């Protein structure tokens, strides 16, 4: 059984930082891509960042470029999203996602349960 378990969400003030983590079980990164989507209230789920295990290539949504950094530890089957200079508009539920290239929900093979990130102004 594949499980993606997120952790690290929470409440932070605007300009602050958070790191969310996703540990995978029953699934290996080899040959696949894993990353993050988010969904704010009343909005569609959108791709935030993705990293390919084959060559480490990454994708970032324009709205987070220069502020967020994705990384992975294949030995631990864990992917991280370091979020700096957070803005209120980053407030959303962040979902870990396997098979995130291309970064659209319909291509995702597995989802985590989500972790709430709230940025106060």
């Amino acid at each position: 059984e594949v499980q993606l378990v997120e952790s690290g969400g929470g409440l932070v003030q605007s300009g602050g930082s958070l790191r969310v983590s996703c540990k995978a079980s029953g699934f290996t990164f080899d040959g696949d891509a894993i990353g993050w989507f988010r969904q704010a209230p009343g909005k569609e789920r959108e791709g935030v960042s993705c990293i390919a295990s084959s060559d480490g290539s990454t994708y970032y949504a324009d709205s987070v470029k220069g502020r967020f950094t994705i990384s992975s530890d294949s030995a631990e089957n864990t992917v991280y999203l370091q979020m700096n200079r957070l803005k209120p508009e980053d407030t959303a539920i962040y979902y870990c996602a396997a098979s995130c290239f291309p970064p659209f929900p319909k291509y995702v093979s597995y989802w985590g349960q989500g972790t709430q990130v709230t940025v106060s102004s």
Side-chain angles (χ1 to χ4, degrees):
E1 178 188 6
V2 174
Q3 283 191 317
L4 303 176
V5 180
E6 301 99 333
S7 61
L11 173 65
V12 65
Q13 287 189 333
S14 181
S17 298
L18 276 177
R19 189 178 80 158
V20 290
S21 304
C22 171
K23 186 166 179 64
S25 60
F27 171 85
T28 57
F29 294 177
D30 289 348
D32 206 329
I34 191 162
W36 298 89
F37 284 68
R38 69 185 180 187
Q39 188 164 20
K43 294 190 176 182
E44 294 186 352
R45 195 170 295 190
E46 63 172 352
V48 175
S49 185
C50 187
I51 185 166
S53 62
S54 56
D55 60 4
S57 57
T58 57
Y59 160 82
Y60 293 98
D62 287 344
S63 58
V64 307
K65 281 180 183 175
R67 301 187 297 122
F68 290 11
T69 303
I70 193 169
S71 61
S72 66
D73 183 338
S74 57
E76 295 294 325
N77 254 18
T78 300
V79 63
Y80 306 95
L81 185 67
Q82 178 66 43
M83 304 181 288
N84 298 328
R85 304 200 309 275
L86 282 160
K87 304 175 182 180
E89 51 263 44
D90 294 317
T91 295
I93 299 174
Y94 283 70
Y95 296 92
C96 184
S99 312
C100 51
F101 276 137
F104 300 106
K106 66 178 182 178
Y107 296 112
V108 171
S109 57
Y110 299 102
W111 293 100
Q113 82 285 357
T115 186
Q116 177 70 47
V117 171
T118 303
V119 184
S120 63
S121 57

